[in-house]
Amino acid sequence: MAASSTTNFSARPSGRASTFWQRLRSGDDIAYVITLTCALTILAITALLVFELYKNSAVPRHQFGWSFLVTTTWDPVAGQFGALPFIYGTVVTSALALLMAIPLGVGAAIFLAELAPLRISNALTFLIELLAAVPSVIFGLLGIFVLVPALVSIEPAIRSVLGWTPLFSGPFYGVSIFSAGVVLTVMIIPFIISISREVILAVPAEQRDGALALGATKWETTWNVVIPFAKKGIMGSIFLALARSLGETMAVTMVIGNEPKINQSLFAPGYSIAAVIANEFAEATGDLYLGALIELGLVLFGLTIIINGLARVLVLTTTKKGAI
Amino acid sequence: MLSLRRRTVNAVMLSLTGVCTVLAVGTLLFILGYLFLHGGTSLTLDFFTKLPKPVGEPGGGMANALLGSAKLLLLASCIGVPIGFLGGVYLAEFGGSSFSFVVRYTTDLLNGVPSIVIGIFAYTLIVLPQGHFSTLAGGLALGVMMIPIAIRSSEDFLRAVPVSLREGAMALGASKAKTILTVVIPAAKAGLLTGIMLNLARVAGETAPLIFTAFGNRYWSPGWEQPTAALPVMIYTYAISPYPDWKQQAWSAGFVLLMLVLAINVFARMVLSKRGHAAR
Amino acid sequence: MTRRVFIVNAALVATLIGGVACGQQVPINAAGATFPYPMYSKWFDEYHKKFPQIPINYASIGSGGGIAQVTAGTVDFGASDGPMTDMQMKQFQDKRGSAILHFPTVLGADVPTYNIPGVATALNFTPEALAGIFLGKITKWDDPELTKANPGVKLPSSNIVVVHRSDGSGTTYVWVDYLCKVSKEWETKVGRGTSVNWPVGLGGKGNEGVSGSIQQTANSIGYVELIYAVQNKMTYGKVKNASGEFIQASLASVTAAAAGIPMPDDFRISITNAPGKGAYPISSFTWLLIPSKIADPTKKKAIKDFLAWMLADGQKMTEALSYAPLPQAVVAKEVKAIDKIQ
């Protein structure tokens, strides 16, 4: 029987042309329903999660209201809770990590996809994907024992170049927002590299050939033709990386210094939402304390909504078709 | 002839990409080497066959944690991979614009939830009503963590398949479902597998969601309804203990975990390449 | 297709086999404090060897976690480094319908550990010095409060870097409980809890994080558990006790602290700043939290038997792992209290 859809890939199969059984046999409707259900599952799970977070944070929400978002005190003994230092830490460490990981990641992906011979590229990518498997607690331990001493030793160098900015001022004890940013960079880079590489490899050869035929250099081809073609996939990988960095718990808490204070220097210790929840949840007792930690989870959720929204606006203004 | 400026830019930028790769690969090799030195060199057969022993007694192992992690990952994959993959298929093949936007957005949101919050979520949903910790709860928590990555990466790779392939199949009279099954998915095979592997790798090392769900067990854990040991939780517990003997085991476990994920990766790619022609 | 099907089937079969082969043993589950975890793991293992019928499975998720889980009923008993408050005990009563009993198991201590270039000896710390440092009032190592207690030691005039625990823990509870007792200012400004609002200092996660930070930061000071300092050969200082002596933490001095204070019937007591000669002032009991009514008769018998064994044979195993055993008077009292479990 004639297939019911033609080239409009986004439309539902039309009901006019075939009988119910024909459509069922051709499988289009089943495929549609099954895949739709799975997509809906995500919405259901997220809604349930938000509902649970909302419900279990009722006590502190009634007590503090919106001031929870701007208070800087975190005092479990006195029952005073505020989210601002954690919001600051989360945002700054993730921003720092993305700032370092995106150029490094996309750069490496370009090298692996365009320049390296295929077998070497496969082998190296395979190894890089292994980085994603290192448990975060190991990253944390490596952070304390390897990264922090290393940063302490190169700190004078950084300070001599960038010390005039308030970003790199003040004493440095090794554990700091900067260290957390570096650890996060290492943790999110595998996602950017491996996904970007795959997407770049999938760009049809004709696109490259066309540009080269017009006299472009390899770099010009890559930067002006291949990358824009692969942009959506690369953006997708960046969103994955961003998400991971916002929610990363164990590794961050071991190197960030765990001080709930806002400091303009990256060399100062800080605290992130995921870290404080991990640190204090197991020991927290009492509805207010537990509820405050859960409310922090809710705040992080809200933060993620805002950051993702901003990122999407950014993408929409730089690409033509926004299927993000 | 190309201008000097363009040639220089070309050379500089391309070598910079090489530098990036060296940095990334170098970091990984360093981590692997460190793990090997601290964990791999003192690995014994006992690690794989014996149950944990109290501190100070030699010969303990993590056999139950190995099995526990395997069970948890199996359950998580059964939940996360189908739902995520099929959801990705929906977004790539059937999606309209506004509903898909909402789904993608929500996926990214779920992805950003800290692992410990997912653990707490699974705790309130499964452990509390059941009244006990279980492998089931742990597997579910990990499965929920797998879904967003699976959706995102599946969609990305399916989208990367050129429209011409789809159109060709349609032109030959295949229905949409048949096109997806026989043309699009095979074409995206390598990428899809990459996505699944990355996903599994990430989830295999997660500790926080298991603390309040699978709980941990010093003994074997039969079936799915009892608490179970898992490698990442053992690593965490041992690594923060005061005893050098246990800390040593933590590094060994970290090394073993990494090697296991490597093995799964290698195995999967072997299976894939034997079957398919587009072996990558 | 066949290869894939085969692999999946093999995996499922292996899992099922792994499941079935281990028989019908249903372990008793317990959760709580991380500090005594090594000791408990040894005890439960030894006990299991002697009485293999029911294994006891303990997971160290933290004292607060232990209290929360035993109250929720997801574990059979809990463990905590700090006694439950009245409110927590009432919550347990409301939720589970019976009382909760405290059983001290071993003793531990917090020690001040530091990293001062050029100083390798055990420094003397007065209560005023410790409170001042952690309040942020005493900021340099050559402050008079420190130098007068340490004549003959060359203390540098560098800034003190304070390191504390970032994760909630019984170790912190003992430390701040002590500071509350010796410093009015600390009590009003900061208070006591497993997590507090520290006036100054960096937060390290776990003993690991704290000791790591101290090792890498010159002129730093922090607190860790005694076992941790001993096992990792760290330098730690002496603290002045209520009798005026500078005591270094050791198994003997910790047990002396416990012996110095009469034990109440419900076993909930803080022994920081204990009176008595040779008592180390920052010591603490750690407790098992056992419901007074246990429905399952097999579990009840196993738990009661374990307690009796722990108070007799178990106490002999503590010193090898650097835990201090309970004083005799406390043991005797506890043995009688086991009967309260119905």
Side-chain angles (χ1 to χ4, degrees):
Chain A
M1 271 344 309
S4 42
S5 60
T6 52
T7 50
N8 183 354
F9 299 113
S10 314
R12 279 201 67 171
S14 105
R16 290 183 282 114
S18 350
T19 66
F20 175 72
W21 290 114
Q22 282 166 343
R23 270 188 290 142
L24 202 61
R25 248 190 316 159
S26 74
D28 278 2
D29 272 352
I30 298 181
Y32 182 72
V33 166
I34 293 178
T35 55
L36 178 63
T37 313
C38 291
L40 283 172
T41 312
I42 268 262
L43 294 180
I45 293 179
T46 312
L48 191 59
L49 180 71
V50 176
F51 172 69
E52 287 284 331
L53 286 176
Y54 194 74
K55 188 177 75 165
N56 292 322
S57 61
V59 174
R61 267 188 301 106
H62 289 141
Q63 184 155 337
F64 302 118
W66 290 104
S67 71
F68 185 72
L69 291 174
V70 290
T71 313
T72 52
T73 331
W74 184 264
D75 191 338
V77 178
Q80 273 300 338
F81 297 105
L84 198 56
F86 309 105
I87 296 177
Y88 174 77
T90 309
V91 169
V92 172
T93 48
S94 297
L96 199 60
L98 278 180
L99 224 69
M100 293 194 279
I102 293 179
L104 275 176
V106 174
I110 292 176
F111 180 84
L112 289 169
E114 300 283 310
L115 295 174
L118 194 62
R119 292 189 74 214
I120 297 185
S121 173
N122 283 346
L124 287 180
T125 311
F126 187 66
L127 285 182
I128 289 178
E129 281 166 17
L130 260 192
L131 259 183
V134 177
S136 26
V137 64
I138 298 266
F139 269 116
L141 292 175
L142 285 170
I144 305 182
F145 290 122
V146 177
L147 181 69
V148 163
L151 284 179
V152 168
S153 51
I154 70 171
E155 177 242 351
I158 303 181
R159 201 184 279 277
S160 60
V161 172
L162 293 163
W164 50 272
T165 57
L167 278 181
F168 289 98
S169 55
F172 182 63
Y173 299 116
V175 289
S176 62
I177 292 205
F178 183 64
S179 318
V182 173
V183 169
L184 279 177
T185 307
V186 176
M187 294 179 81
I188 64 179
I189 254 190
F191 291 96
I192 300 183
I193 293 183
S194 78
I195 295 181
S196 301
R197 173 185 167 267
E198 286 290 348
V199 174
I200 292 177
L201 278 173
V203 171
E206 304 92 61
Q207 300 286 333
R208 292 189 185 83
D209 292 344
L212 288 171
L214 288 170
T217 61
K218 180 110 180 132
W219 171 253
E220 284 163 356
T221 314
T222 310
W223 189 247
N224 296 311
V225 176
V226 177
I227 296 281
F229 209 88
K231 207 161 197 165
K232 270 179 229 149
I234 298 182
M235 292 292 183
S237 77
I238 294 178
F239 277 113
L240 266 181
L242 169 69
R244 171 125 212 230
S245 70
L246 284 173
E248 180 48 49
T249 314
M250 286 295 186
V252 168
T253 180
M254 284 174 153
V255 298
I256 198 173
N258 300 318
E259 229 201 328
K261 291 196 174 60
I262 300 182
N263 204 309
Q264 59 181 353
S265 168
L266 294 177
F267 278 163
Y271 221 157
S272 79
I273 294 180
V276 71
I277 297 179
N279 274 327
E280 302 193 3
F281 192 79
E283 291 283 336
T285 44
D287 286 332
L288 183 62
Y289 193 3
L290 273 171
L293 287 170
I294 296 190
E295 195 179 351
L296 273 181
L298 199 59
V299 167
L300 181 62
F301 205 81
L303 205 63
T304 318
I305 294 183
I306 298 176
I307 296 180
N308 267 288
L310 286 174
R312 273 175 169 67
V313 165
L314 187 74
V315 166
L316 271 175
T317 55
T318 55
T319 41
K320 276 176 269 190
K321 268 196 301 185
I324 26 137
Chain B
M1 200 45 224
L2 283 180
S3 74
L4 182 63
R5 191 188 72 88
R6 285 172 66 197
R7 269 184 289 153
T8 325
V9 166
N10 188 48
V12 165
M13 294 311 281
L14 290 179
S15 13
L16 272 182
T17 62
V19 168
C20 294
T21 313
V22 164
L23 276 175
V25 175
T27 314
L28 171 81
L29 288 178
F30 175 78
I31 294 179
L32 274 182
Y34 197 90
L35 267 181
F36 178 70
L37 271 178
H38 283 247
T41 47
S42 51
L43 210 51
T44 61
L45 193 60
D46 279 351
F47 183 90
F48 296 94
T49 51
K50 296 275 178 62
L51 285 178
K53 281 227 162 66
V55 65
E57 288 182 36
M62 292 201 191
N64 59 342
L66 284 167
L67 183 62
S69 277
K71 282 160 75 173
L72 286 167
L73 286 177
L74 187 66
L75 184 57
S77 310
C78 289
I79 299 173
V81 171
I83 296 182
F85 173 66
L86 290 173
V89 168
Y90 175 82
L91 287 178
E93 304 295 322
F94 296 104
S97 60
S98 44
F99 180 65
S100 300
F101 177 76
V102 170
V103 174
R104 277 190 206 95
Y105 206 89
T106 314
T107 307
D108 285 340
L109 293 182
L110 194 60
N111 215 3
V113 176
S115 47
I116 187 156
V117 174
I118 304 249
I120 298 171
F121 176 62
Y123 171 76
T124 43
L125 226 58
I126 305 176
V127 176
L128 278 184
Q130 279 199 325
H132 59 81
F133 298 102
S134 60
T135 312
L136 184 69
L140 218 95
L142 291 181
V144 166
M145 290 190 73
M146 284 185 86
I147 293 180
I149 303 187
I151 287 194
R152 257 314 198 167
S153 59
S154 306
E155 190 206 345
D156 277 345
F157 292 119
L158 287 169
R159 266 192 193 283
V161 173
V163 171
S164 47
L165 279 179
R166 290 189 181 83
E167 287 183 343
M170 294 279 193
L172 289 170
S175 71
K176 196 143 160 70
K178 206 170 174 80
T179 313
I180 299 173
L181 266 176
T182 57
V183 175
V184 179
I185 292 179
K189 211 169 40 179
L192 290 174
L193 191 67
T194 303
I196 296 180
M197 286 299 129
L198 268 183
N199 211 351
L200 209 62
R202 185 235 170 131
V203 155
E206 288 288 344
T207 316
L210 295 176
I211 298 182
F212 288 104
T213 49
F215 190 60
N217 203 327
R218 302 287 291 179
Y219 309 97
W220 294 108
S221 166
W224 300 92
E225 286 295 325
Q226 292 201 34
T228 179
L231 271 180
V233 180
M234 293 291 266
I235 295 176
Y236 176 65
T237 313
Y238 278 19
I240 61 171
S241 75
Y243 302 98
D245 167 40
W246 272 6
K247 286 203 268 229
Q248 181 54 55
Q249 285 200 36
W251 287 110
S252 300
F255 180 72
V256 167
L257 183 58
L258 212 57
M259 290 297 113
L260 279 176
V261 174
L262 179 78
I264 298 178
N265 248 296
V266 168
F267 188 63
R269 282 183 202 273
M270 254 173 29
V271 168
L272 197 72
S273 65
K274 285 254 175 73
R275 291 199 60 238
H277 12 211
R280 271 219 257 122
Chain C
M1 191 55 172
T2 32
R3 186 188 285 252
R4 242 187 256 158
V5 167
F6 170 71
I7 292 165
V8 172
N9 280 338
L12 278 171
V13 167
T15 316
L16 285 172
I17 288 179
V20 167
C22 306
Q24 300 302 337
Q25 283 198 324
V26 179
I28 294 177
N29 289 309
T34 45
F35 157 68
Y37 179 53
M39 187 76 253
Y40 291 173
S41 74
K42 173 106 185 150
W43 275 347
F44 295 137
D45 196 72
E46 289 293 322
Y47 188 71
H48 183 51
K49 283 190 215 152
K50 282 202 156 61
F51 305 100
Q53 310 90 321
I54 298 191
I56 302 180
N57 175 32
Y58 181 87
S60 56
I61 58 177
S63 302
I67 296 175
Q69 297 313 320
V70 75
T71 310
T74 52
V75 294
D76 299 299
F77 63 91
S80 170
D81 290 331
M84 287 170 78
T85 61
D86 291 331
M87 190 164 66
Q88 289 166 340
M89 291 178 70
K90 178 162 186 324
Q91 252 184 335
F92 183 87
Q93 176 86 40
D94 292 338
K95 270 220 166 103
R96 300 252 76 83
S98 73
I100 182 113
L101 303 168
H102 288 70
F103 283 89
T105 51
V106 284
L107 288 156
D110 283 0
V111 297
T113 172
Y114 44 86
N115 174 5
I116 309 173
V119 176
T121 53
L123 290 177
N124 293 330
F125 291 99
T126 58
E128 294 76 24
L130 287 177
I133 292 175
F134 280 84
L135 276 169
K137 291 276 174 66
I138 297 181
T139 53
K140 288 199 186 290
W141 277 112
D142 60 356
D143 189 283
E145 188 65 44
L146 290 161
T147 48
K148 77 171 185 245
N150 294 286
V153 181
K154 179 93 181 58
L155 289 166
S157 89
S158 338
N159 286 331
I160 303 181
V161 180
V162 175
V163 183
H164 56 76
R165 289 283 287 270
S166 63
D167 46 327
S169 84
T171 314
T172 297
Y173 184 84
V174 177
W175 188 259
V176 300
D177 182 51
Y178 170 75
L179 288 177
C180 279
K181 287 194 185 162
V182 300
S183 162
K184 264 269 161 292
E185 192 180 349
W186 182 273
E187 193 170 22
T188 37
K189 206 168 160 202
V190 185
R192 58 165 63 78
T194 52
S195 274
V196 299
N197 190 16
W198 297 93
V200 292
L202 308 169
K205 183 162 174 56
N207 282 305
E208 191 71 46
V210 170
S211 74
S213 280
I214 293 180
Q215 270 163 23
Q216 277 144 35
T217 316
N219 302 308
S220 57
I221 182 174
Y223 60 91
V224 291
E225 290 154 14
L226 172 63
I227 321 168
Y228 197 85
V230 165
Q231 290 285 341
N232 289 278
K233 305 196 180 12
M234 298 169 75
T235 321
Y236 55 98
K238 304 183 189 170
V239 184
K240 192 174 185 187
N241 68 5
S243 309
E245 315 157 297
F246 282 103
I247 303 283
Q248 184 152 49
S250 67
L251 302 187
S253 58
V254 168
T255 311
I261 299 189
M263 177 66 84
D265 286 338
D266 65 356
F267 297 106
R268 294 159 66 208
I269 186 167
S270 153
I271 56 172
T272 48
N273 210 26
K277 271 183 65 66
Y280 181 71
I282 320 183
S283 311
S284 165
F285 283 104
T286 182
W287 291 262
L288 285 180
L289 306 167
I290 315 223
S292 62
K293 275 199 185 45
I294 302 179
D296 183 322
T298 341
K299 285 191 181 176
K300 178 166 65 183
K301 181 166 187 329
I303 293 177
K304 288 174 86 156
D305 288 345
F306 171 74
L307 284 172
W309 176 88
M310 181 270 287
L311 290 165
D313 291 341
Q315 291 296 310
K316 302 198 186 100
M317 299 176 188
T318 62
E319 307 209 2
L321 290 178
S322 305
Y323 289 90
L326 299 169
Q328 260 313 103
V330 175
V331 170
K333 211 168 173 147
E334 273 189 70
V335 170
K336 287 204 210 103
I338 299 180
D339 293 328
K340 285 197 199 154
I341 304 175
Q342 300 298 319

